[in-house]
Amino acid sequence: MTDSMRPVERQQVVAGDLGRYLREALPGDPGIDAVGCAGGTVVDQLRRCLERGDLTGRPHVRLRVVVPDFTQPLDGPRGVNGEGGAEDDEGLRRELLREAVGLAHDMAALDRRLHGGRRARLDVEFRVLHLTPVVTFCLIDRSQLFDGTRARGEGEAAPLPSPAAGRDAVLTRWHVDAGAAARERIRARGLLFDALWSVARPLTRTG
């Protein structure tokens, strides 16, 4: 690959543009692994790709999503109380749990429609784990990483975002062909996802 064709080591992309990269990956029957607050950013973009009228080739997509266990108080990102301090926001946790359960249900329904119309195959599984929602990223075929993890100062608690916040997030995109630093970043995130997935439990309607 010539230098002019090589992807840049990292680039900033808006989460709403993630669909472009998912659409480009569809012909290769992609495996998509994501960790997020509820999974909405990835699910929304993938759903739009699969519902397009010009979808061809009957792609087979495998989507795995890890979300926080919102039935438990969070150790990391939390709400902000009236005095500006961080506190656990049980109401917001319930809202995010409802969103995650709804997304899993919607994707199962989409799979039935796509499979019935012989348009695509969609294998989706959501799992939950007691972790901080600040860790957010999406891997496509372990060749592209979209990293939304925010840096925090030591001891600083970031507020838990609303369900719609992730759609406007700015992600850092890494491509495996961009060089050693990008390959190592993708490898590390892949190992992290595998570790989280191995100990997470299936998402249920009650969390």
Side-chain angles (χ1 to χ4, degrees), residues 12-207:
Q12 303 300 306
V13 299
V14 178
D17 292 336
L18 180 61
R20 166 195 163 189
Y21 301 97
L22 294 171
R23 187 164 60 250
E24 291 173 351
L26 287 181
D29 295 337
I32 303 165
D33 296 329
V35 180
C37 269
T41 301
V42 175
V43 167
D44 287 349
Q45 294 298 315
L46 179 59
R47 179 167 48 199
R48 292 180 186 182
C49 293
L50 294 172
E51 289 179 335
R52 288 171 59 97
D54 58 356
L55 180 67
T56 60
R58 201 184 181 198
H60 181 192
V61 180
R62 292 166 297 276
L63 173 64
R64 301 187 297 176
V65 183
V66 176
V67 298
D69 183 357
F70 292 116
T71 66
Q72 301 184 47
L74 299 174
D75 295 331
R78 293 165 285 180
V80 177
N81 62 28
E83 299 178 353
E87 63 179 10
D88 180 59
D89 190 332
E90 185 177 357
L92 184 51
R93 287 194 284 111
R94 285 197 300 267
E95 183 181 359
L96 287 163
L97 173 58
R98 283 194 298 269
E99 184 186 16
V101 170
L103 290 169
H105 179 271
D106 290 348
M107 293 305 277
L110 176 60
D111 174 50
R112 290 192 293 270
R113 294 197 304 272
L114 293 171
H115 188 71
R118 300 185 62 82
R119 301 189 64 225
R121 293 174 57 196
L122 180 59
D123 298 330
V124 179
E125 184 177 358
F126 278 67
R127 292 187 181 182
V128 299
L129 185 65
H130 188 55
L131 49 74
T132 166
V134 167
V135 181
T136 58
F137 60 88
C138 172
L139 288 155
I140 302 177
D141 280 335
R142 304 295 169 99
S143 63
Q144 294 185 80
L145 165 66
F146 297 83
D147 203 339
T149 302
R150 298 167 296 167
R152 289 189 295 154
E154 185 176 356
E156 177 186 354
L160 189 63
S162 68
R167 280 68 164 180
D168 299 322
V170 176
L171 309 175
T172 302
R173 176 178 179 256
W174 303 78
H175 192 284
V176 71
D177 290 334
R183 288 192 294 273
E184 176 56 27
R185 184 75 173 185
I186 292 170
R187 187 190 72 85
R189 280 291 187 247
L191 291 173
L192 174 59
F193 181 87
D194 291 342
L196 296 176
W197 187 259
S198 69
V199 295
R201 59 178 174 79
L203 173 68
T204 67
R205 289 187 176 275
T206 58

